[in-house]
Amino acid sequence: MTISKSELTEARERIAQSERILIVSHVKPDGDAVGSLLGIGNALINAGKQVEMVLEDGVPAKYKFMAGSNRISKRKHIDPDLVIAVDCGDRQRFGNIDDEIKEVDINIDHHPTNTHFGRVNLLRPTAASTTQILAEVMEDLDLEINKPIAEALLAGLITD
C-alpha cells in the first residue's frame, strides 16, 4: 500500500501554509513515537517553522540521547495553525492533550488499525515503523534530512 501523490501534495501545501505547528504522539512513547516526533519536528524547525512537540508522558530516559529531545514538552502551549499526529492509531492514544486539539490536519502512521482521523492521512500499514514512512516522504514534503534527523528516524525504525 502506497501513499497517494494527492495526499502528499495536500500535506506539503498544508505545511507550507503554516507557521505554528503542533506535533503529538501517543502516551507511553516508544522509540518510534519519539523518533517520529523528533524527525519531522526538527525538519520543520530547520525549515523555519515554529514547532511544539508534545508527549503527555514525556521522553523516556532511554530515548533522551536523540537530538532535540529536550525540546519535547508534556503540555501544549501554542495555538497551532497545523496539527500533525505521528505513530498514533487513534486520537485516544494522545492522552489528555486530545481535549485541547480540535482537528488533526496530518496523520502519519503505520498501524493497520488506524482510524483515519486526520484531514490528510499518510498511512502505510505495511511499513515497519512511522519513522520509515517519514524517511520515505520527507523529500515529498519539502523537508530535508540531516544527520540528527536521520539518527532519530533510524532509532525509531530499530526500536519498533
Side-chain angles (χ1 to χ4, degrees):
M1 179 178 192
T2 60
I3 296 168
S4 75
K5 292 261 188 221
S6 64
E7 289 170 310
L8 286 168
T9 298
E10 187 173 350
R12 181 178 62 247
E13 289 171 357
R14 285 180 181 272
I15 290 169
Q17 295 166 1
S18 301
E19 290 302 317
R20 294 176 319 282
I21 301 173
L22 172 67
I23 310 169
V24 298
S25 193
H26 60 79
V27 294
K28 298 181 183 173
D30 57 10
D32 192 21
V34 177
S36 295
L37 200 73
L38 289 169
I40 194 165
N42 287 329
L44 289 165
I45 290 167
N46 292 345
K49 305 294 183 180
Q50 180 186 342
V51 175
E52 184 170 51
M53 297 175 275
V54 176
L55 290 171
E56 182 175 299
D57 292 335
V59 178
K62 64 183 172 183
Y63 301 122
K64 290 191 178 196
F65 71 90
M66 290 187 226
S69 65
N70 60 323
R71 298 184 75 165
I72 296 174
S73 61
K74 292 183 177 185
R75 300 184 52 172
K76 173 182 160 297
H77 298 97
I78 66 169
D79 182 23
D81 48 31
L82 185 80
V83 176
I84 299 174
V86 292
D87 197 40
C88 277
D90 61 64
R91 287 185 60 134
Q92 290 69 41
R93 295 276 291 139
F94 299 162
N96 293 327
I97 192 170
D98 184 47
D99 297 336
E100 301 177 45
I101 299 171
K102 293 178 189 134
E103 281 197 75
V104 173
D105 298 289
I106 302 172
N107 170 20
I108 307 170
D109 188 37
H110 73 113
H111 295 100
T113 56
N114 191 288
T115 60
H116 297 78
F117 57 85
R119 289 180 178 171
V120 178
N121 295 286
L122 305 181
L123 309 176
R124 195 152 64 82
T126 57
S129 67
T130 300
T131 57
Q132 178 187 350
I133 297 168
L134 285 167
E136 293 170 0
V137 303
M138 292 281 252
E139 186 176 330
D140 294 314
L141 299 176
D142 288 337
L143 298 173
E144 294 182 16
I145 297 176
N146 60 18
K147 185 178 178 189
I149 292 167
E151 288 171 350
L153 296 176
L154 182 58
L157 177 65
I158 291 170
T159 59
D160 218 40

